[in-house]
Amino acid sequence: MSIGKVSEFNVKTGNWTLYVERLEMYLKVNAVKNEMWLPTLIAGMGDEAYELLSNLTSPIKPGDKSYQEVVKILQEHLQPKSSFMAERYRFRQRRQLSGETIPQYITELKKLSKYCEFHSTLEDNLRDQLVCGLRSDVIRQRLFAEDNLKYSVAVRIACALEAAERDSAAVEQAGDGDGLGGSGADSALHAVTSSTSRARTREQDSAPRAFKGREHGGGNALYCSACGSRYHRSDDCRYKKFVCGKCKQSGHLRRVCPKRGAYTGNAGSRRHMYHVEAAECETPSADDEPPSVESQTELQEDLHHLCLNSYKPVSLTLLLDGFKLNMEIDTGSAVSCISKATYNKYFYTRPMDKFDLVLKFYDGSRIKPLGIIKPEVRYGNITKHLELFVIDGGTTSLLGRQWLSELQIKIPTFHSMVLDDHFSNNHLSLLLDRYNKLFSGGLGRFAGGKATLRVREGATPVFCRARPLPYALKDRVDAELDAMLREGVIEPVESSDWATPLVPVRKADGGLRICADYKVTLNPVLLVDRFPLPRINDLLVGMNGAKIFSKIDLSQAYNQIELDNSKNLTVINTHRGLFTYNRLVYGLSSSPGIFQRIMSNLFHDIEKVEVFLDDIIIGSSNEREHLQILETVLSRLHKNGMKLRKDKCLFMVDEVKYLGYIISKDGIKVDPDKVAAIVKIPRPKDVSDLRSFLGLVNFYAKFIKNLSTTLAPLYGLLKKGVTWDWDRSCEDSFKKIKKVLTIAEVLLHYNPITMKLKNKPSAIRF
């Protein structure tokens, strides 16, 4: 009987190195012969992992490779070695997060240091980053005071001080009789679910209890006798020398004057504390000595946070397993949660299943739920068994977005269609939130395999020197190269047979794109991928009958496709040395065909979706159909590791700009911005200028009746043997065509049924 088992490998979230280590331990403990290691690996890795392996080894079958070769191939694809400098940069940037304990922080530092190549200096670097990244100034100062501080000593002292601080806060909180202020666990639960304002308010409410003393009446809470604040002592208060407008004595403000009857001397009184909290939201009266503008601003900022307690949460009562449970609606949380105490009170008879999901605080720190249950939830006429997470601590039951959607609980809808704003309906908002990783920034990586570049047999390598770079562009080019290095788009190499000079290109948004002049090196000998780009007219016909549109734009589109070993052909020569591309490159004659093939294969089976390189357009006749198509498209992009440009995506709009046209339910129009650019073109001075102008005009030829007749005088100047003579007829033709473009009519979408029945020329045939 075998010991243990071989689990399937998760391509999207799994760690290949750890998987191989566990597999090899399994093989050794079960005395599996070396020749059986590869079959065991292939048999246990799962369908998705095997499909990826087959693509990477194609045309050779994985079974024809050795075990070591297969492990290496997947290692290079799934976990390519990153720059140790980049890893060290990430290590240096790591700080202890809010809600993260010191042991958890140390664990994350050790994880980040794995690929930093610190070697013998590992403990010194861990010690330095531990001390410098601590959130607590008190603990950091204590560690600074140590001579010859060792890593192990720093860990022991820091953990001990944190534990002492936590225990002290728990003792003080246990002594509070006022019943106010959320517990640390309660604040953690709210932070987990991203309820930003509530989490901040509760954290501020409970903060003084974690460090403090007693003042004003000898009670358990800290109150300044000068202004009534709970955040400092009266000795440190800026109002301790103010003259009260009530009793005319110095030392306090009017709002906390004892003669107003607010302070009864009973520090445990619940009424007393409520009065102080209300008073904290006031400002000094006109009779008080006025504070400075700076002091006034600082005080108001603190008090505004405290006043948030008066805004009650929105709650809803649901029936869970027959019990009525009041839950706080939290659209910032994807899941619904209850505390362990609530579980023990109502659901202790329902077994709790383990769950590996780790929830995140607002600041990025993590918490693992105790488990998950699936109670019967009833709201109105809807009854479902839904997932409910149990959190260790907290007192509030949260109703998240999943339950809101499943129970069809209506929340306010918004009407802006741009991604940065609120969306037109709740379903779209929930859908985009479900795939928010597509818009999370960074560079995507296509998971469907790597691209291959091929050159003609017998091709001779070409090595070009780096071209001089204008001084005005040097800093911007350096910044772009650094960004490409961080993202893994390029990597330095020491030598190469191929080298292509660098070409910086200005983008439309004012940015800079680094390209290479492959026309003088690689393109002449490259076997070009001839996959056809779709005709624009065919794409426009695909939008027939559409009333609602979405446009999706990929971020750094070509760079999301990895190159295989043929990347050594793409080396560029810069003022900083040689770099090779790890990703598909702009400027290669094969890049458009390779990318269009990938995108066409991804979406060829989805109706109402058209793709032109990195521009994806969706058109449908109703919202329900559109949401279904949109979810399918986003799901495929997410599964394949792609990323989108948040600022260039539009969802469910009435009209959209696409490939130089305006597409709407009424038809196709010219793009006013492009027409405006054509109108501004000055009179051509030679044949070259005239050809450029006519090329732009012909892009919109289908919108202009009798175009050839209108442009006849201009075409006459292009005939062989004709001397350049810009006469009155040419000038009239030039002005007329500009005017016609500005009033171009809308073209109807091509409809074959309408054309057959009516046979009218008003519907333009593309």
Side-chain angles (χ1 to χ4, degrees):
M1 183 175 180
S2 62
I3 302 174
K5 64 177 182 178
V6 180
S7 60
E8 292 187 359
F9 177 71
N10 190 317
V11 175
K12 297 180 178 62
T13 61
N15 185 307
W16 178 248
T17 301
L18 297 180
Y19 180 80
V20 171
E21 290 176 359
R22 291 180 59 248
L23 172 67
E24 292 180 353
M25 289 299 101
Y26 169 85
L27 296 172
K28 290 178 181 178
V29 77
N30 289 283
V32 179
K33 295 181 180 180
N34 290 344
E35 58 268 22
M36 295 302 297
W37 281 29
L38 178 60
T40 305
L41 170 62
I42 292 177
M45 67 184 351
D47 294 340
E48 189 176 6
Y50 182 73
E51 182 180 358
L52 174 61
L53 176 61
S54 299
N55 293 334
L56 295 176
T57 61
S58 179
I60 302 174
K61 293 183 178 180
D64 296 334
K65 297 279 187 178
S66 68
Y67 171 81
Q68 289 77 14
E69 288 175 332
V70 167
V71 170
K72 184 178 180 181
I73 289 171
L74 286 173
Q75 179 76 35
E76 291 178 348
H77 177 77
L78 296 169
Q79 293 176 270
K81 185 178 180 181
S82 58
S83 165
F84 77 93
M85 290 298 294
E87 295 294 336
R88 290 186 180 183
Y89 174 80
R90 283 189 278 271
F91 177 81
R92 299 294 181 204
Q93 296 300 310
R94 186 61 162 87
R95 300 290 187 271
Q96 184 185 7
L97 304 174
S98 176
E100 182 179 49
T101 65
I102 290 178
Q104 290 171 338
Y105 174 48
I106 293 171
T107 301
E108 290 299 316
L109 287 181
K110 288 184 176 180
K111 181 179 178 181
L112 289 173
S113 68
K114 188 173 182 179
Y115 301 105
C116 290
E117 300 182 12
F118 286 135
H119 304 301
S120 60
T121 63
L122 174 60
E123 288 201 351
D124 288 343
N125 281 280
L126 285 171
R127 175 203 60 199
D128 295 348
Q129 195 58 32
L130 166 63
V131 176
C132 296
L134 288 171
R135 293 180 61 249
S136 172
D137 292 333
V138 175
I139 299 177
R140 185 186 301 107
Q141 291 170 8
R142 171 68 175 82
L143 295 175
F144 281 165
E146 289 288 320
D147 292 330
N148 300 320
L149 182 64
K150 301 294 185 182
Y151 168 68
S152 58
V153 177
V155 171
R156 176 171 53 81
I157 294 175
C159 291
L161 289 174
E162 182 184 55
E165 183 181 80
R166 184 169 57 247
D167 293 342
S168 175
V171 171
E172 288 197 23
Q173 189 176 47
D176 284 344
D178 50 40
L180 296 178
S183 68
D186 194 31
S187 295
L189 176 61
H190 280 64
V192 164
T193 56
S194 302
S195 297
T196 315
S197 61
R198 292 194 300 278
R200 287 176 175 169
T201 305
R202 295 189 184 201
E203 184 179 43
Q204 290 169 346
D205 286 345
S206 59
R209 306 176 190 272
F211 56 83
K212 320 322 223 277
R214 310 283 185 265
E215 183 167 345
H216 201 81
N220 292 330
L222 171 69
Y223 293 106
C224 172
S225 60
C227 69
S229 171
R230 296 183 295 170
Y231 286 84
H232 58 260
R233 297 180 177 86
S234 59
D235 291 342
D236 302 322
C237 183
R238 64 173 67 93
Y239 303 113
K240 63 184 179 181
K241 295 183 179 180
F242 277 38
V243 176
C244 173
K246 178 71 175 177
C247 66
K248 306 304 180 183
Q249 295 182 3
S250 62
H252 60 266
L253 297 176
R254 177 188 181 94
R255 67 173 180 232
V256 293
C257 180
K259 293 188 177 181
R260 294 185 66 183
Y263 291 81
T264 65
N266 179 7
S269 167
R270 204 177 275 244
R271 196 180 92 189
H272 163 83
M273 185 170 292
Y274 277 129
H275 186 89
V276 172
E277 286 189 345
E280 285 177 346
C281 293
E282 299 175 6
T283 55
S285 68
D287 297 329
D288 291 322
E289 181 180 339
S292 64
V293 173
E294 179 182 1
S295 300
Q296 216 170 20
T297 303
E298 292 175 0
L299 180 65
Q300 287 175 356
E301 288 177 353
D302 289 340
L303 300 184
H304 289 167
H305 286 298
L306 297 174
C307 292
L308 293 177
N309 285 327
S310 61
Y311 298 101
K312 302 301 180 183
V314 179
S315 300
L316 189 66
T317 299
L318 302 176
L319 205 62
L320 278 69
D321 282 348
F323 297 103
K324 289 185 178 180
L325 184 64
N326 188 264
M327 304 184 73
E328 182 177 327
I329 296 177
D330 188 352
T331 58
S333 170
V335 299
S336 298
C337 307
I338 59 172
S339 66
K340 184 179 180 182
T342 304
Y343 171 79
N344 292 336
K345 183 176 180 180
Y346 296 106
F347 308 105
Y348 61 90
T349 58
R350 183 177 286 278
M352 191 188 310
D353 298 327
K354 290 186 178 180
F355 200 78
D356 295 332
L357 179 69
V358 176
L359 304 179
K360 288 187 178 181
F361 286 74
Y362 175 71
D363 60 7
S365 54
R366 302 181 176 187
I367 185 173
K368 189 172 182 179
L370 293 176
I372 186 173
I373 61 175
K374 290 188 177 181
E376 183 184 78
V377 185
R378 181 177 178 183
Y379 176 75
N381 297 324
I382 300 176
T383 301
K384 291 186 177 183
H385 285 274
L386 300 175
E387 295 86 355
L388 183 62
F389 291 85
V390 181
I391 308 297
D392 187 12
T395 58
T396 304
S397 300
L398 296 180
L399 179 58
R401 295 192 302 274
Q402 180 202 12
W403 282 29
L404 291 173
S405 177
E406 293 289 343
L407 299 174
Q408 299 181 21
I409 298 173
K410 301 298 183 182
I411 60 175
T413 58
F414 303 89
H415 302 288
S416 177
M417 304 298 179
V418 183
L419 184 63
D420 287 340
D421 302 325
H422 299 293
F423 297 100
S424 62
N425 58 64
N426 184 42
H427 294 291
L428 177 60
S429 179
L430 292 172
L431 175 62
L432 294 177
D433 189 74
R434 190 184 312 158
Y435 294 101
N436 59 353
K437 288 187 178 180
L438 288 170
F439 312 103
S440 60
L443 183 63
R445 183 176 70 178
F446 179 60
K450 298 183 179 181
T452 300
L453 302 177
R454 296 181 176 86
V455 296
R456 293 190 179 91
E457 188 175 352
T460 303
V462 178
F463 187 98
C464 294
R465 293 187 302 173
R467 292 174 179 171
L469 190 66
Y471 291 115
L473 294 179
K474 185 175 182 300
D475 290 342
R476 296 179 64 187
V477 171
D478 281 335
E480 191 65 24
L481 289 174
D482 290 338
M484 294 167 72
L485 280 168
R486 287 194 300 271
E487 293 178 337
V489 176
I490 59 175
E491 64 179 1
V493 294
E494 295 181 356
S495 61
S496 173
D497 294 331
W498 293 86
T500 302
L502 193 69
V503 179
V505 178
R506 295 183 186 275
K507 295 192 290 187
D509 59 4
L512 203 66
R513 173 178 290 149
I514 300 299
C515 299
D517 191 6
Y518 288 110
K519 67 182 179 182
V520 300
T521 56
L522 188 56
N523 282 347
V525 296
L526 195 64
L527 292 174
V528 179
D529 189 322
R530 299 295 183 183
F531 191 87
L533 296 180
R535 295 174 62 246
I536 294 179
N537 289 342
D538 294 338
L539 298 178
L540 298 178
V541 168
M543 293 294 102
N544 172 47
K547 298 179 180 179
I548 304 172
F549 303 90
S550 290
K551 188 179 75 168
I552 298 173
D553 189 84
L554 293 174
S555 174
Q556 298 174 262
Y558 288 1
N559 290 162
Q560 299 195 44
I561 311 299
E562 289 184 298
L563 290 171
D564 61 9
N565 293 333
S566 59
K567 65 184 181 181
N568 60 351
L569 300 172
T570 66
V571 174
I572 55 175
N573 204 345
T574 76
H575 65 290
R576 290 169 50 174
L578 300 175
F579 296 89
T580 185
Y581 273 91
N582 295 319
R583 306 295 182 102
L584 195 61
V585 195
Y586 291 93
L588 280 178
S589 53
S590 279
S591 293
I594 292 172
F595 193 82
Q596 184 65 39
R597 181 191 301 275
I598 290 172
M599 299 302 292
S600 296
N601 289 339
L602 273 181
F603 304 112
H604 73 280
D605 59 333
I606 309 177
E607 294 185 0
K608 305 296 184 181
V609 176
E610 302 292 341
V611 180
F612 189 90
L613 296 176
D614 62 334
D615 282 320
I616 305 169
I617 188 171
I618 303 171
S620 61
S621 58
N622 60 75
E623 291 186 1
R624 183 179 296 275
E625 179 189 31
H626 198 96
L627 285 168
Q628 292 174 347
I629 298 173
L630 182 58
E631 180 170 16
T632 303
V633 171
L634 295 180
S635 175
R636 291 195 184 178
L637 289 170
H638 180 262
K639 288 179 180 178
N640 285 276
M642 311 294 271
K643 292 292 183 73
L644 306 180
R645 278 200 64 172
K646 176 179 174 180
D647 57 324
K648 285 196 172 184
C649 292
L650 291 172
F651 298 98
M652 299 185 71
V653 295
D654 296 330
E655 65 176 29
V656 64
K657 285 185 180 182
Y658 189 66
L659 304 178
Y661 297 96
I662 303 294
I663 306 176
S664 69
K665 63 180 179 180
D666 299 321
I668 303 164
K669 299 182 289 187
V670 299
D671 184 346
D673 294 336
K674 294 192 178 297
V675 170
I678 295 175
V679 171
K680 291 180 181 179
I681 294 177
R683 180 191 302 121
K685 296 180 180 179
D686 51 34
V687 172
S688 177
D689 288 349
L690 180 57
R691 290 186 187 278
S692 298
F693 174 75
L694 293 176
L696 294 173
V697 170
N698 277 297
F699 182 80
Y700 289 127
K702 63 177 68 68
F703 293 88
I704 306 171
K705 295 180 180 179
N706 304 320
L707 177 65
S708 299
T709 303
T710 304
L711 294 178
L714 300 182
Y715 278 118
L717 294 177
L718 301 180
K719 294 180 180 179
K720 291 183 179 180
V722 175
T723 304
W724 179 264
D725 181 18
W726 189 269
D727 56 17
R728 181 62 179 268
S729 62
C730 293
E731 183 68 18
D732 291 342
S733 174
F734 182 68
K735 291 180 178 179
K736 183 178 180 180
I737 199 64
K738 287 185 177 182
K739 182 178 180 180
V740 170
L741 275 175
T742 59
I743 57 174
E745 297 180 353
V746 177
L747 300 185
L748 299 179
H749 289 292
Y750 173 74
N751 188 329
I753 297 177
T754 303
M755 293 296 295
K756 181 178 290 188
L757 295 176
K758 298 182 178 180
N759 195 26
K760 291 185 177 181
S762 57
I764 304 299
R765 298 175 187 265
F766 291 122

